[in-house]
């Protein structure tokens, strides 16, 4: 065999073996991490600073302030309903509501503006208490309130207002029993009325049947009044004092004024005689 061809075949085999070794070489999976550059470090620190400033801005925002105020008012209402009606200082309130981390500026806002102007907070000598619509001490006070509303024709009292102002209201209402009446409105709110037992009387069953047999659902007040008049019954509205209607002044007719000449003794026409030719001689 030609020695030149043998050399070429040997070179080809060497190249082929070296190329195969490169293809099957193991890949290094554990690559070294690049060192963090100065630019990346500064951006991370900037992000951390922004996040910390964000938390500070949230606490100093108006939403956070009014959230603290709402928490204080709700706490004062709850403790009043539980029977704790004694007044607290601002430091005691912040301690019991766990708001000790508020700033001095926010604390001054609560003292000078928020709590003073809140309609549900009563301020006495730098101390604070809850101010309900009806300040009721016990069940007797509730009964007096309902009786007063009944006597003055003011109607009932909302159960929500009673629960707000009467400590341990559920127990007091249960103790009063049938001395009060519950009425539920269409909006599901309950109203308390005084049950005046002196006004309770027995109505004859025949009269009840007659009363219920008259349908008035489809009739308004004017139609009912008209029906009563036809039956010869006078409504109570007409028995009251009648209103005097103001006299309306007549408007003068605008237009051209006519000239009127004044006449004398027109009412004696035909009675007077004419003596211009002298006095007539009597026969």
């Amino acid at each position: 065999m030609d020695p030149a061809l043998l050399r070429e075949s040997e070179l080809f085999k060497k190249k082929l073996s070296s190329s195969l070794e490169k293809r099957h070489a193991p890949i290094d999976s554990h690559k070294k991490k690049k060192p963090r550059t100065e630019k990346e470090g500064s951006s991370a620190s900037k992000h951390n600073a922004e996040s910390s400033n964000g938390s500070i801005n949230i606490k100093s925002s108006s939403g956070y302030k009014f959230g603290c105020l709402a928490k204080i008012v709700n706490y004062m209402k709850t403790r009043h309903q539980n029977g704790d009606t004694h007044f607290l200082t601002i430091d005691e309130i912040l301690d019991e509501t766990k708001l000790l981390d508020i700033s001095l500026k926010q604390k001054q806002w609560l003292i000078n503006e928020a709590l003073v102007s809140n309609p549900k907070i009563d301020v006495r000598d730098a101390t604070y208490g809850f101010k309900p619509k009806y300040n009721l001490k016990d069940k007797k006070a509730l009964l007096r309130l309902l009786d007063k509303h009944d006597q003055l024709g003011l109607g009932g009292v909302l159960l929500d207002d009673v629960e707000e102002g009467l400590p341990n209201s559920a127990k007091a209402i249960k103790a009063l029993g049938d001395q009060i009446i519950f009425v539920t409105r269409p909006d599901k709110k309950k109203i308390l009325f005084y049950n005046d037992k002196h006004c309770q009387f027995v109505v004859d069953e025949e009269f009840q049947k007659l009363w219920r047999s008259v349908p008035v659902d489809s009739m308004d007040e004017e139609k009912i009044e008209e029906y009563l008049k036809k039956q010869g019954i006078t409504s109570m509205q007409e028995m009251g004092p009648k209103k005097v209607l103001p006299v309306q002044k007549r408007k003068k007719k605008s237009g051209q004024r006519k000239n009127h000449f004044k006449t004398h003794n027109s009412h004696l026409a035909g009675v007077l005689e004419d003596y211009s030719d002298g006095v007539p001689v009597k026969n």
Side-chain angles (χ1 to χ4, degrees), residues 18-62:
S18 62
S19 63
L20 290 173
E21 287 176 358
K22 287 180 180 180
R23 286 184 181 181
H24 294 286
I27 299 171
D28 189 8
S29 59
H30 302 286
K31 292 182 179 180
K32 292 182 179 180
K33 292 183 180 179
K34 292 181 180 181
R36 191 167 64 174
T37 59
E38 184 179 352
K39 186 177 181 180
E40 291 175 351
S42 62
S43 63
S45 61
K46 185 179 179 181
H47 176 72
N48 293 332
E50 288 176 354
S51 63
S52 62
N53 290 333
S55 63
I56 294 170
N57 291 333
I58 289 171
K59 286 191 175 183
S60 61
S61 65
S62 60

Side-chain angles (χ1 to χ4, degrees), residues 120-138:
K120 291 297 180 182
I121 298 296
D122 191 9
V123 184
R124 298 178 188 174
D125 299 328
T127 58
Y128 306 90
F130 186 70
K131 183 166 65 176
K133 185 175 182 179
Y134 303 109
N135 195 2
L136 307 170
K137 295 182 179 180
D138 50 24

Side-chain angles (χ1 to χ4, degrees), residues 256-261:
Q256 293 181 351
R257 303 177 86 184
K258 293 182 179 180
N259 293 326
H260 295 283
F261 296 97

Side-chain angles (χ1 to χ4, degrees), residues 138-194:
D138 50 24
K139 62 181 181 181
K140 292 182 180 179
L142 172 60
L143 200 62
R144 285 195 298 269
L145 174 67
L146 296 175
D147 187 17
K148 181 181 178 182
H149 273 240
D150 181 64
Q151 295 294 331
L152 297 176
L154 300 176
V157 178
L158 273 170
L159 177 61
D160 293 342
D161 294 337
V162 174
E163 290 176 342
E164 181 185 76
L166 179 61
N168 304 312
S169 59
K171 185 178 179 181
I173 291 171
K174 186 177 179 181
L176 290 174
D178 62 347
Q179 296 183 68
I180 56 177
I181 300 172
F182 283 92
V183 175
T184 304
R185 294 194 319 196
D187 59 357
K188 306 300 181 182
K189 288 186 176 292
K190 291 185 177 181
I191 314 295
L192 272 66
F193 290 88
Y194 177 70

Side-chain angles (χ1 to χ4, degrees), residues 55-122:
S55 63
I56 294 170
N57 291 333
I58 289 171
K59 286 191 175 183
S60 61
S61 65
S62 60
Y64 179 77
K65 289 197 303 183
F66 285 102
C68 293
L69 176 62
K71 186 176 182 180
I72 290 171
V73 174
N74 289 332
Y75 171 75
M76 299 298 285
K77 177 182 177 180
T78 303
R79 66 185 294 275
H80 182 89
Q81 290 173 334
N82 293 333
D84 297 332
T85 57
H86 62 279
F87 281 51
L88 300 175
T89 63
I90 186 64
D91 293 326
E92 290 172 336
I93 292 172
L94 295 177
D95 183 26
E96 294 187 16
T97 54
K98 298 179 181 179
L99 293 173
L100 294 172
D101 58 340
I102 65 172
S103 64
L104 181 61
K105 186 177 180 181
Q106 291 168 349
K107 184 178 179 181
Q108 291 299 322
W109 174 76
L110 288 171
I111 296 171
N112 299 326
E113 296 181 35
L115 294 176
V116 175
S117 60
N118 193 285
K120 291 297 180 182
I121 298 296
D122 191 9

